[in-house]
């Protein structure tokens, strides 16, 4: 549901969320910016909010923070009807969602996402969890939200880097879908990055609808949900090899999408595409859209060997070897496995090239 934060209480009501105590989880940055209007909206609907604030940043997705939420919530004397509301980005949503999944074997969960990533991606689909020393998102549960309530104006305070980074997932959804989203992105790119309220909500809505449709068709990722990993096998390897935090997730995904487009070219022609050859016209057009995200160059000290090693530990690996999502054409994804390693190396080499050499294609 899209609407102003001031109507969040009504939206909970309409979603059938019981009145009374509400557990609100947010982070320290979002609390300063958007907590008061949410609390006012909940109180206006006759609810009694209690607030738990975690530090901003990925480190909050930990078992220690989860345990602290458990202690806090159980100390308040909650019951099975008590809802958990996550106000914030993907970190707060994943953490609070896992708390909701585990408290009393599952509390009703509401997402009020405040980043682009959360509004178009992480708040929808029910994946919740925290990180482990062995890797990101290794502990968690599927726990679907009863309501995802999006106020696009919360993005007004989002730093530019996070905004652009979130748009990597919007572009990914556009490449996965045969909808008009890619055309709208091309036409309105500058207005979108300028947070133009005349175009931003519609694009966010289209982007999240693509994810919602895919998840509705395959909630537990036995099939088409894997398409959402387009660019992510490469992107996760960049994040892991460069050290988490060196790039935002969206920056890594943008680079990963470019590699995935190159690999798609190899798979489609059944032979390794040269890293310095122009992409076929349809993939080149898709690549130009990805380049609007202004992905940073891969640093030379991040060797292809290191990236290949980082890929080998991706949790999406299966018995047949690495799995990749490729495009038969923009809007037509499929999963392939058993891809020759040389094709993957060629895709990395493609991403490494100075941009001028292959953007004119
Ligand atoms: N569950 C899923 O399906 C799924 C999908 C994609 C990503 N994720 C997870 O999401 C996380 C990344 O999400 P994210 O980029 O939203 O990270 P985030 O929650 O850390 O938010 C990024 C930063 O923006 C700040 N912020 C949030 N909203 C703001 C606002 N409106 N104005 C100003 N600052 C604001 C936050 O405090 C934080 O510092 C990762 O942990 C990733 O694993 C989950």
């Amino acid at each position: 549901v899209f609407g102003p934060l001031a109507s969040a209480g009504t939206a909970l009501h309409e979603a059938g969320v019981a009145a009374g105590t509400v557990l609100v989880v947010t982070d320290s940055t979002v609390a300063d910016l958007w907590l008061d209007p949410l609390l006012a909206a909940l109180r206006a609907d006759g609810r009694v909010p209690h607030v738990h604030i975690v530090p901003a940043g990925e480190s909050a997705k930990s078992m220690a923070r989860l345990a602290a939420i458990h202690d806090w919530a159980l100390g308040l004397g909650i019951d099975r009807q008590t809802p958990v509301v996550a106000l914030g980005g993907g970190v707060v949503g994943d953490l609070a969602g896992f708390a909701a999944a585990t408290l009393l074997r599952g509390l009703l969960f509401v997402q009020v996402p405040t980043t682009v990533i959360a509004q178009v991606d992480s708040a929808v689909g029910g994946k919740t969890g925290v990180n482990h020393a062995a890797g990101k998102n290794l502990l968690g549960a599927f726990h679907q939200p009863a309501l995802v309530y999006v106020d696009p104006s919360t993005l007004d305070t989002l730093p530019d880097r996070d905004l652009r980074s979130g748009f990597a997932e919007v572009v990914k959804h556009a490449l996965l879908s045969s909808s008009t989203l890619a055309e709208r992105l091309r036409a309105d790119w500058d207005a979108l990055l300028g947070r133009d309220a005349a175009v931003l909500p519609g694009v966010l809505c289209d982007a999240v609808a693509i994810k919602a449709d895919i998840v509705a068709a395959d909630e537990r990722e036995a099939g088409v949900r894997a398409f959402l990993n387009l660019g992510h096998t490469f992107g996760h390897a960049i994040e892991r090899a460069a050290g988490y935090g060196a790039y935002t997730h969206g920056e890594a995904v943008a680079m990963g999408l470019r590699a995935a487009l190159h690999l798609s070219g190899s798979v489609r022609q059944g032979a390794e595409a040269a890293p310095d050859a122009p992409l076929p016209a349809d993939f080149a057009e898709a690549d130009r859209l990805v380049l609007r995200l202004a992905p940073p160059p891969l640093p030379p000290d991040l060797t292809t060997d290191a990236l290949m090693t980082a890929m080998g530990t991706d949790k999406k690996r299966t018995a047949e070897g690495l799995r990749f999502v490729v495009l038969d054409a923009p809007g037509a994804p499929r999963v392939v496995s058993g891809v020759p390693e040389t094709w993957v190396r060629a895709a990395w080499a493609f991403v490494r090239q100075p941009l001028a050499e292959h953007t004119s294609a």
Side-chain angles (χ1 to χ4, degrees):
V1 176
F2 278 64
L5 218 46
S7 302
T10 317
L12 260 71
H13 189 79
E14 286 170 0
V17 178
T21 301
V22 187
L23 306 180
V24 178
V25 179
T26 188
D27 75 26
S28 48
T29 301
V30 179
D32 287 344
L33 298 164
W34 298 106
L35 182 58
D36 285 347
L38 177 70
L39 295 181
L42 294 173
R43 290 189 181 114
D45 192 51
R47 296 171 190 275
V48 185
H50 295 268
V51 179
H52 184 93
I53 300 176
V54 299
E58 186 70 30
S59 66
K61 268 176 59 172
S62 70
M63 286 302 284
R65 292 286 167 202
L66 179 71
I69 295 175
H70 287 156
D71 293 347
W72 164 72
L74 295 171
L76 290 170
I78 55 169
D79 62 38
R80 299 272 301 269
Q81 305 309 314
T82 308
V84 176
V85 176
L87 173 72
V91 164
V92 164
D94 283 8
L95 173 69
F98 194 23
T102 44
L103 282 161
L104 307 183
R105 298 201 180 90
L107 298 181
L108 217 67
F109 180 42
V110 174
Q111 294 259 26
V112 184
T114 63
T115 63
V116 177
I117 286 197
Q119 293 186 354
V120 304
D121 188 354
S122 65
V124 165
K127 284 189 182 176
T128 72
V130 298
N131 301 325
H132 184 273
K136 270 192 73 175
N137 298 324
L138 291 182
L139 305 169
F142 282 94
H143 190 59
Q144 294 293 346
L147 169 69
V148 180
Y149 191 74
V150 177
D151 180 349
S153 74
T154 55
L155 302 181
D156 288 350
T157 55
L158 195 65
D160 283 338
R161 191 178 179 196
D162 289 297
L163 186 86
R164 194 182 283 273
S165 174
F167 265 92
E169 303 292 354
V170 178
V171 168
K172 180 195 77 181
H173 290 174
L175 298 184
L176 289 175
S177 157
S178 55
S179 79
T180 56
L181 181 59
E183 282 162 41
R184 293 181 68 182
L185 290 175
R186 287 187 185 100
D188 291 327
W189 189 260
D190 293 338
L192 290 166
L193 288 192
R195 304 159 211 240
D196 183 338
V199 289
L200 186 55
V203 164
L204 296 171
C205 195
D206 281 6
V208 74
I210 290 167
K211 169 142 187 194
D213 284 349
I214 290 174
V215 171
D218 174 25
E219 188 179 347
R220 297 284 170 134
E221 203 166 319
V224 294
R225 186 165 181 168
F227 294 164
L228 293 166
N229 296 322
L230 180 69
H232 281 59
T233 306
F234 292 99
H236 285 155
I238 295 168
E239 286 186 278
R240 192 174 297 129
Y244 288 103
Y247 299 105
T248 67
H249 178 65
E251 288 163 353
V253 167
M255 292 185 264
L257 286 172
R258 302 198 63 235
L261 285 170
H262 188 272
L263 185 64
S264 298
S266 295
V267 171
R268 191 165 71 181
Q269 70 185 21
E272 181 184 321
D276 54 356
L279 291 175
D282 54 348
F283 291 152
E285 191 183 9
D287 190 40
R288 282 192 289 275
L289 184 58
V290 177
L291 285 170
R292 298 210 184 182
L293 297 162
L298 267 182
D301 61 343
L302 203 58
T303 64
T304 300
D305 283 343
L307 290 163
M308 295 299 290
T309 303
M311 276 182 145
T313 60
D314 192 288
K315 72 176 185 293
K316 300 196 173 68
R317 213 172 114 132
T318 65
E320 317 100 86
L322 281 176
R323 284 195 309 163
F324 290 93
V325 183
V326 294
L327 300 178
D328 286 331
R334 77 179 155 110
V335 176
V336 293
S337 49
V339 172
E341 188 181 318
T342 53
W343 297 8
V344 181
R345 287 181 177 271
W348 283 123
F350 168 74
V351 179
R352 278 187 199 287
Q353 292 180 103
L355 286 178
E357 286 177 25
H358 53 82
T359 47
S360 55

